[in-house]
Every structure is written in structure tokens, then in C-alpha cells.
Amino acid sequence: MTLVNTIVTWFMKKRMDQIELFMNHPHDVQDEVFRTLISSARSTEWGKLYNYDSIFNQEQFKQRVPLQNYETLKPYIERMMKGEQNILWGSEVKWFAKSSGTTNDRSKFIPVSAESLEDCHYKGGKDMISIYCNNKPDTQMFTGKSLVLGGSHKVNQFNEDISYGDISAVLIKNLPMWAEFHRTPDMSISLMDNYEEKIEKMAHATIDVNVTSMAGVPTWTVVLAKRVMEITGKKDLLEIWPNLELYVHGAVKFGPYREQFKKLIPSSSMYYLETYNASEGFFGIQDLPGSEEMLLMLDYGVFYEFLPMENFGEENPATKSLSEVELGKNYALIISTNGGLWRYMIGDTIKFTSISPYRIQITGRTKHFINAFGEEVIVDNAERALTEACTQTGAIVRDFTACPIYFSDNENGGHEWIIEFDSQPSDIERFTDILDNTLREVNSDYDAKRFKDMALRRPLVHVAPEGTFYQWLKTRGKLGGQHKVPRLANERTYVEQILEQITSR
């Protein structure tokens, strides 16, 4: 296994030259991606509708093709799901990634072409390892196996030619044999759709495996880790997997989970690596150790545009190209992909932390914010405030959600939080004050509304009993890696449902 480890790490490092190419020539690489996408879709129904034959530059593309969302592309996608081809993309599309999202209950089915599998998702996975090997040349990761905690939907079929599942299930089902050899547990467990049974089987199947790396959403990784520790009677994961050296995470901000993972994996040399991998594509990888930003991956067959959030909701708003973005500004991410998504609003918001090279942070969702009083609190603000409150009080948060408290005859408005702790603060009032004060520091609009409690009063924080959010997701049929607790909402539905669940216990 040591020889295999040496060969694989050498191979992975060679990709770094190509990564450095797009870091040094980002606009040329993105222009080449754009031209390839337009050329590949010229003969499709979509390409003919918008006359891709006569689109020669990015400005023509922006002027001719309207911004899209899932609802506008849905009629085309539904035809593709029935087996029609050459609709949105030129090559045959046989796979769809099922994504439920967190803002409504309807499933979305994202087309996954052979190009998006190979040149985006799998390329992102290989680059993630390449970057890790480059940053940690003495890695022994390939002497053991990677524990991958994937989604909760098994692979299903619309018909004999067309299949669908969570993006993780689609990726696992199409993995080359060499990659499957390095994974644990086996596919029969990884693709189970009963998540509680899956966690149980996964825990038992991996206890005696030499796990050197883990990958998954932090929320569900913690659930698995605790179950493994319960079964073995061990106090941390290193007693079970002593060679564990890497944890790859994504989907939610890691800050609120960091202290929890330090307890689960008490090692100063443990490496944490964030990725931005969605059903629609693989977009970013943390390339700097210890950073909270990700390198925007520019050669994956994805063409990027950026919509300033102050213009979000306008009719036909102008987007920015990569060369026009500004540091620290909040943008809605717009993508055109080698899976057949065109000027598609993915629903995520990002900000740039660097423009040479281009690095980003995910700041939230276009629909996940609180702006009931003009305070414009986004997920990034909330998570930074929560992390600071935890740091100062020694608390560890498991999950949370927040919403507005509307004006009443007797009281001003405010924000209501439900927080489930792994380790509670000794003084919840102090925790609340730090949360509030940090929000005021990071968000000037919130600070202005909080001035002398004129528009917003001090936040109301509920401490939720253990298992609250797990049970809430379970009752809604939302257990699994693709499903997350909505961090912020501009209305009270989620909070009232959870509070009702708490009081009915």
C-alpha cells in the first residue's frame, strides 16, 4: 500500500501545473470555456432557439439569453427525463441529480451529462486530492480508505434508459473501479435510502477499516461519528481510526462545527478541507491550509456570471463577468454548464476574498436571509456571530435556525433563534449578547436597526433539547446528506413548526 500511496500522490501533484494555469490566466480560461459551451450546444433545441450560431462573445450571450431558474428550465428537463435528447445539451444525457433544496418541497432534477461527470464532478474530486497532496506531501492517505457519507436517495429509473438519485449516489454509481476500491463502505450501504438504517450499517461496516480520510456534510458526519463511538465505547475517533488525517466537508459553513470536530478528532495535525460541490457542478476547493476561502475552479466546463445582490429581483438585471467583480461584495452565482444549464441561478450567494487568484466564500442563499426590517442579515453574518459567541463562551453548536419577530402593538420587532447545542454556554444571556453585538459589528444595517432598540430589540434565543432538529427533519422526510436545516428565513414557518414540536414533547 505504501507504493500505491507514493504513485497516486505523485500523479495527483502533476495536476497542479494545470491549476496554476487558470490561476494565472483566469479570463482566457473562462473565455475558452464559454466558447466551448456555445459550440457544443449550437445544434440543440435550446441553441437553435437562441441562435447560438451567431453568438460570438459573452455580451451577445447575456443580451440574448434571459436569466434562468429551475422553473423556467423545467419543461425542457422533464422532456429529457422521458428520454428526449439534444434538448439542452448536445451529448446523450442518461443521469439526473435529484435535489430537494431547502426552500420548498418540490424535487429538482438536474441533468448530468458525461462531460459534467468527467470534466466537472470527477475532475473536482481529483483536484481536491491534488491540492491536498501538494499541501501535505507526506500524506499517507492512500494507505487506507476514505469513508464517504453520501446522500439518502438510492439510484432509481424513470425508464430503462434514464436514471436518477442524489448527486452523491450518481457519482458513486459511475465511479471507476480504482476509485471504488479506495472507498468505504461498499456500494450496497452507500446507496441505501433509509438514512437511519444506513447510519447504523455504515457504523458497523467501518469500525474495523483503516479509515484515513472522511468526506460528508458536517451535520451527518457528527451523527455517524457519535454512533461509531457509542458502538465501540471509545471517547474519540482517533481511538477507532488512528490514521485518520483528512476531513473533506461542504454544504454548510464549518465554523459552528469546528470545536465539535476538535473533540471528535483531538489532533492538531488533522487537515480540514472545504469544497463547493453541488448537484449543478463542482465550483470551489479550499487550496490554502487553514483558510476559510475556496479557489474558484475555472476549467470545469462551467462559465460564471455574478449578479450583485442589490440588483436581485430586478427585471433583466445586468450581471458581472469575472473580470468585473469586486472584493467583499455579495453576488448571486449564475452558471452555464456542460450539463445543459444556461444562465442558471443556482440560488447561492458568494463574495470574493481575492481576485488574484479568484477565491470565494459562500455567504448564503438568495432565499435564506432575514430582511423584515431592512437589516439584510445573511447566513454569513449569522454564522460569524454564532462562531464568535461560541468562542467566547466555550459553547458548541449542533444546529440552528432564525427568523423575524414581527412588530406588535406593544413591542418592536426582533430576531428569534432556536439553537441546539452540543455543549451549552454556562450563561445563555451572555451568549445572546455576544451574538447580538457581533451581528452589529459585521452588519451595519442590523446595527442601525438595533440603535436604542428603535426597530429591532435584542434577539430572543431558545435552547432546543437534544435531537430537536434531527426529529424535525425526520418528520418531514428530510433525513440525509442533501437535506439541511434552513439557517435563516424571512418568515416564521420553520421556527413555529420547531417550537410546536418542542412544546409538544
Side-chain angles (χ1 to χ4, degrees):
M1 290 300 289
T2 302
L3 178 60
V4 172
N5 188 78
T6 302
I7 293 171
V8 172
T9 52
W10 175 82
F11 177 79
M12 290 297 184
K13 288 177 187 175
K14 289 180 68 67
R15 164 65 179 155
M16 291 305 299
D17 290 339
Q18 295 168 294
I19 292 174
E20 288 173 4
L21 177 66
F22 76 67
M23 290 171 70
N24 294 327
H25 304 281
H27 307 132
D28 292 340
V29 169
Q30 270 287 279
D31 194 55
E32 183 179 344
V33 168
F34 167 75
R35 294 179 186 279
T36 300
L37 290 175
I38 295 296
S39 176
S40 299
R42 279 176 179 156
S43 62
T44 64
E45 183 176 313
W46 183 270
K48 291 176 180 177
L49 175 65
Y50 290 104
N51 196 10
Y52 277 20
D53 269 333
S54 63
I55 291 179
F56 301 108
N57 57 54
Q58 296 175 21
E59 284 308 311
Q60 289 176 328
F61 177 63
K62 292 179 182 181
Q63 290 168 10
R64 191 173 302 173
V65 182
L67 290 175
Q68 305 293 316
N69 56 37
Y70 188 76
E71 293 305 314
T72 60
L73 289 182
K74 186 176 178 181
Y76 299 93
I77 292 174
E78 286 183 335
R79 289 170 55 198
M80 296 168 70
M81 287 156 55
K82 293 175 182 176
E84 289 190 55
Q85 299 294 339
N86 212 36
I87 304 296
L88 292 173
W89 186 246
S91 68
E92 190 173 31
V93 177
K94 292 185 175 183
W95 286 91
F96 291 82
K98 182 179 181 181
S99 173
S100 64
T102 53
T103 54
N104 61 53
D105 292 327
R106 291 173 295 180
S107 294
K108 299 177 182 179
F109 292 91
I110 305 300
V112 181
S113 67
E115 291 87 349
S116 60
L117 266 178
E118 291 296 329
D119 299 333
C120 186
H121 289 289
Y122 288 150
K123 191 174 184 179
K126 287 184 281 189
D127 282 357
M128 173 189 75
I129 301 302
S130 297
I131 287 170
Y132 176 64
C133 291
N134 186 66
N135 288 341
K136 193 170 182 181
D138 60 346
T139 176
Q140 295 298 304
M141 185 178 71
F142 293 101
T143 61
K145 297 209 171 190
S146 177
L147 196 167
V148 181
L149 184 58
S152 58
H153 288 289
K154 64 184 178 184
V155 171
N156 299 276
Q157 289 192 295
F158 291 119
N159 55 56
E160 61 181 13
D161 296 320
I162 306 296
S163 303
Y164 71 93
D166 278 357
I167 186 60
S168 54
V170 173
L171 297 178
I172 289 170
K173 194 67 176 177
N174 289 278
L175 276 174
M177 188 176 296
W178 66 266
E180 180 62 24
F181 174 75
H182 181 60
R183 264 190 1 90
T184 190
D186 64 45
M187 199 178 296
S188 65
I189 297 175
S190 297
L191 297 182
M192 290 176 68
D193 58 348
N194 182 320
Y195 218 74
E196 289 182 301
E197 184 181 354
K198 177 177 178 173
I199 289 285
E200 191 69 16
K201 285 188 176 292
M202 185 174 279
H204 284 281
T206 57
I207 284 171
D208 296 321
V209 175
N210 178 25
V211 173
T212 54
S213 65
M214 299 173 66
V217 177
T219 313
W220 299 110
T221 304
V222 169
V223 173
L224 174 63
K226 291 189 173 182
R227 182 58 187 139
V228 169
M229 287 156 55
E230 284 175 6
I231 294 169
T232 60
K234 305 296 185 182
K235 69 177 188 297
D236 62 58
L237 290 183
L238 292 181
E239 290 190 358
I240 304 162
W241 301 313
N243 298 316
L244 183 62
E245 63 175 70
L246 169 67
Y247 174 52
V248 179
H249 59 90
V252 297
K253 196 111 173 185
F254 193 60
Y257 295 93
R258 195 174 299 280
E259 291 305 314
Q260 201 168 2
F261 272 82
K262 285 182 181 178
K263 288 188 175 182
L264 291 172
I265 311 168
S267 169
S268 59
S269 61
M270 185 66 188
Y271 196 109
Y272 296 94
L273 194 156
E274 183 176 5
T275 63
Y276 184 6
N277 187 15
S279 299
E280 295 84 355
F282 202 128
F283 309 125
I285 301 172
Q286 177 189 334
D287 66 317
L288 300 177
S291 173
E292 292 188 356
E293 56 189 351
M294 290 176 284
L295 183 68
L296 186 64
M297 309 307 286
L298 301 178
D299 64 347
Y300 285 6
V302 179
F303 173 67
Y304 296 101
E305 299 174 60
F306 308 92
L307 173 60
M309 279 304 290
E310 62 261 32
N311 304 122
F312 188 83
E314 294 179 1
E315 188 174 353
N316 301 318
T319 62
K320 302 292 185 182
S321 297
L322 191 63
S323 60
E324 300 173 303
V325 297
E326 301 174 41
L327 288 175
K329 197 167 186 176
N330 212 28
Y331 295 100
L333 187 62
I334 314 293
I335 56 173
S336 297
T337 76
N338 51 9
L341 301 177
W342 299 103
R343 304 203 74 206
Y344 182 83
M345 291 186 284
I346 190 173
D348 291 337
T349 59
I350 60 104
K351 68 178 179 182
F352 283 88
T353 57
S354 166
I355 56 174
S356 183
Y358 287 99
R359 293 192 178 97
I360 62 169
Q361 287 181 340
I362 302 170
T363 54
R365 299 279 294 171
T366 55
K367 295 182 180 179
H368 285 197
F369 55 84
I370 304 178
N371 193 32
F373 312 100
E375 66 273 44
E376 297 187 23
V377 172
I378 61 174
V379 174
D380 182 63
N381 300 155
E383 289 177 330
R384 287 171 65 184
L386 203 61
T387 299
E388 182 62 26
C390 285
T391 299
Q392 292 196 36
T393 64
I396 299 175
V397 167
R398 180 177 297 177
D399 249 320
F400 73 94
T401 191
C403 75
I405 303 171
Y406 300 121
F407 285 118
S408 66
D409 292 338
N410 300 319
E411 290 187 295
N412 291 342
H415 290 177
E416 188 165 12
W417 293 67
I418 302 176
I419 305 175
E420 183 178 340
F421 292 94
D422 242 23
S423 179
Q424 291 191 26
S426 57
D427 185 347
I428 191 64
E429 297 303 321
R430 179 168 178 260
F431 181 95
T432 303
D433 285 334
I434 297 168
L435 177 73
D436 182 36
N437 290 332
T438 308
L439 277 172
R440 297 186 70 164
E441 290 172 9
V442 301
N443 184 319
S444 58
D445 291 318
Y446 178 86
D447 183 50
K449 304 301 183 296
R450 283 284 292 118
F451 181 70
K452 294 186 177 180
D453 293 350
M454 290 178 65
L456 285 177
R457 62 182 188 265
R458 182 173 177 265
L460 173 61
V461 175
H462 302 279
V463 177
E466 183 177 354
T468 293
F469 287 100
Y470 182 90
Q471 287 302 321
W472 181 70
L473 287 171
K474 183 179 178 180
T475 57
R476 300 175 74 238
K478 297 291 185 181
L479 292 182
Q482 291 287 319
H483 306 297
K484 301 174 286 292
V485 174
R487 299 308 202 192
L488 302 178
N490 211 35
E491 41 82 33
R492 294 186 51 81
T493 303
Y494 300 130
V495 163
E496 289 180 354
Q497 287 176 353
I498 296 168
L499 287 175
E500 183 180 353
Q501 174 185 301
I502 293 171
T503 57
S504 65
R505 281 189 168 187

